[in-house]
Amino acid sequence: MRHIIAIIILAGFIVACDRVERPERISSAGYEAFCETLREIRRTENKFSEVPNELFGHTENLKRLYEVSPDEIAEDLLALYTTFSDTRDSEDTDTLRGFQALSDTKLAGQ
């Protein structure tokens, strides 16, 4: 019985360690920092165009926005960041599950 429990705990750690690290959020950044970050993303040339995984740039931008996000949208941005990161890092058929998560209506607040 102890062996089974140890295996379950180990499996949990493996899954947890495989997930993307949660970015740090600057909760005091305010709306101005968020809007400035969004403007900067829009006006900056795509610096990830050489990266073969197209989700890499999207994930980095979501991370930057989450770090300075207002409280009202922080959890939504974190959910998007985590989903995009998981999809970016997935392999083979795991990618399909990632895209299913991206089409989840909960991401649109429904």
Side-chain angles (χ1 to χ4, degrees):
M1 184 67 169
R2 281 192 227 163
H3 291 87
I4 293 172
I5 292 172
I7 290 171
I8 291 171
I9 291 171
L10 181 60
F13 278 119
I14 290 170
V15 170
C17 291
D18 194 35
R19 293 212 50 137
V20 165
E21 188 175 309
R22 183 180 183 140
E24 292 293 321
R25 185 165 165 264
I26 307 165
S27 60
S28 61
Y31 293 100
E32 288 181 28
F34 179 80
C35 291
E36 181 54 37
T37 302
L38 186 57
R39 282 191 289 271
E40 185 180 313
I41 288 170
R42 291 182 67 199
R43 71 176 169 249
T44 304
E45 185 178 330
N46 180 6
K47 58 185 173 187
F48 305 108
S49 59
E50 300 299 318
V51 178
N53 187 330
E54 64 188 53
L55 292 176
F56 187 83
H58 297 305
T59 304
E60 290 302 305
N61 287 332
L62 284 166
K63 178 181 177 183
R64 290 178 59 202
L65 288 171
Y66 170 74
E67 290 172 340
V68 294
S69 63
D71 292 339
E72 295 84 356
I73 62 171
E75 288 301 314
D76 293 331
L77 282 173
L78 182 60
L80 282 171
Y81 169 76
T82 303
T83 303
F84 269 74
S85 297
D86 288 347
T87 305
R88 175 199 63 199
D89 299 338
S90 63
E91 297 179 11
D92 302 324
T93 58
D94 289 342
T95 304
L96 295 175
R97 282 187 283 241
F99 279 105
Q100 286 176 331
L102 290 172
S103 64
D104 187 346
T105 57
K106 291 178 197 160
L107 292 176
Q110 297 183 14

